[in-house]
Amino acid sequence: MRKLKNHEQKLLKKVNFFDWKSDKNLRENKILRMYHIEDREDYTKYNKLAGLITKLVAQLRKLKPDDPDRVKMTQILLDKLYSMGLIPNPQSLEDCHKIPSSSFCRRRLAIVLVVNKFVPTVKQAVQYIEQGHFRIGPDLVTNPALHVTRDMQDHLTWAEGSKIKRQVKEFNDQDDDLTSWAIEPASARAP
């Protein structure tokens, strides 16, 4: 390689060719694969949120322990994080001190479906969600990146008219002939 001229050296003074930022994302790629996150921006948002929560907890810790504002803000923060499903119990600020971004990933709809044993794999869960086989309450959900709170988790069910729901009911011998007959088109019914 030829010797760089003076103006070239000045331009490249702050650039390090041996240490690229994109080389340090092995952990990020592993998490994106493990939680089947298709959009990298989602993971960066989770990182930012985790950093903001950590910063807020650090600010709360600077206040006096018996300060009424600190007690009130701490309780609000703990209740919110617990209802979002990010911390296991709303007792202590210690749980929020180093909240990982993967805790946001664990509350995505596809992961919650696997944990609740609706489907065996995350990939299959993403396919079923995109095909419209699940609903939360009365609403059909087609976004696998949806953040599922603890309240929403209780209302997670198969969508009405889902063939997979019918297969599960047949397998468990809970199939009601009347409802399956009403869902089928008239041309498929036996005379």
Side-chain angles (χ1 to χ4, degrees):
M1 184 175 154
R2 70 174 175 83
K3 187 173 185 323
L4 296 175
K5 296 179 182 173
N6 190 29
H7 72 280
E8 293 172 333
Q9 281 182 336
K10 282 186 178 181
L11 286 173
L12 297 175
K13 189 181 284 187
K14 295 180 181 176
V15 178
N16 185 356
F17 288 113
F18 297 109
D19 191 26
W20 291 91
K21 284 185 180 178
S22 63
D23 288 344
K24 295 183 181 178
N25 64 357
L26 293 175
R27 176 169 163 63
E28 181 178 331
N29 288 335
K30 180 182 175 186
I31 290 175
L32 291 176
R33 262 194 325 271
M34 182 174 25
Y35 294 111
H36 209 277
I37 300 173
E38 294 163 350
D39 192 6
R40 187 179 292 270
E41 289 179 11
D42 287 344
Y43 185 69
T44 56
K45 287 177 188 174
Y46 298 153
N47 271 332
K48 285 181 184 177
L49 285 173
L52 289 172
I53 291 170
T54 305
K55 196 181 291 186
L56 181 62
V57 169
Q59 292 293 326
L60 285 173
R61 283 183 163 183
K62 288 180 182 177
L63 297 174
K64 293 179 184 175
D66 57 346
D67 185 15
D69 290 335
R70 176 189 169 164
V71 173
K72 181 181 173 188
M73 294 301 283
T74 301
Q75 192 59 43
I76 291 171
L77 178 67
L78 289 173
D79 289 341
K80 185 68 172 174
L81 292 178
Y82 180 74
S83 68
M84 288 177 68
L86 300 177
I87 56 175
N89 56 5
Q91 302 298 324
S92 160
L93 209 54
E94 287 296 318
D95 296 338
C96 315
H97 178 60
K98 286 286 187 182
I99 194 162
S101 57
S102 60
S103 62
F104 286 97
C105 297
R106 282 187 227 112
R107 297 306 299 181
R108 291 168 62 95
L109 179 59
I111 304 300
V112 171
L113 289 175
V114 173
V115 169
N116 288 341
K117 306 224 187 292
F118 277 96
V119 290
T121 63
V122 179
K123 184 177 180 182
Q124 197 172 24
V126 169
Q127 285 179 339
Y128 287 169
I129 293 166
E130 289 173 347
Q131 292 170 1
H133 288 287
F134 290 101
R135 64 185 172 102
I136 296 178
D139 302 325
L140 188 69
V141 181
T142 57
N143 182 9
L146 178 73
H147 184 87
V148 180
T149 62
R150 290 185 192 272
D151 294 335
M152 291 167 67
Q153 186 175 352
D154 296 337
H155 303 289
L156 187 62
T157 56
W158 293 99
E160 290 299 320
S162 172
K163 290 187 176 184
I164 298 170
K165 176 182 178 181
R166 200 174 332 153
Q167 288 287 333
V168 169
K169 281 190 171 186
E170 284 177 14
F171 181 77
N172 293 332
D173 291 331
Q174 298 173 346
D175 189 28
D176 186 10
D177 294 332
L178 183 62
T179 57
S180 64
W181 184 74
I183 293 173
E184 291 178 7
S187 60
R189 294 184 200 140

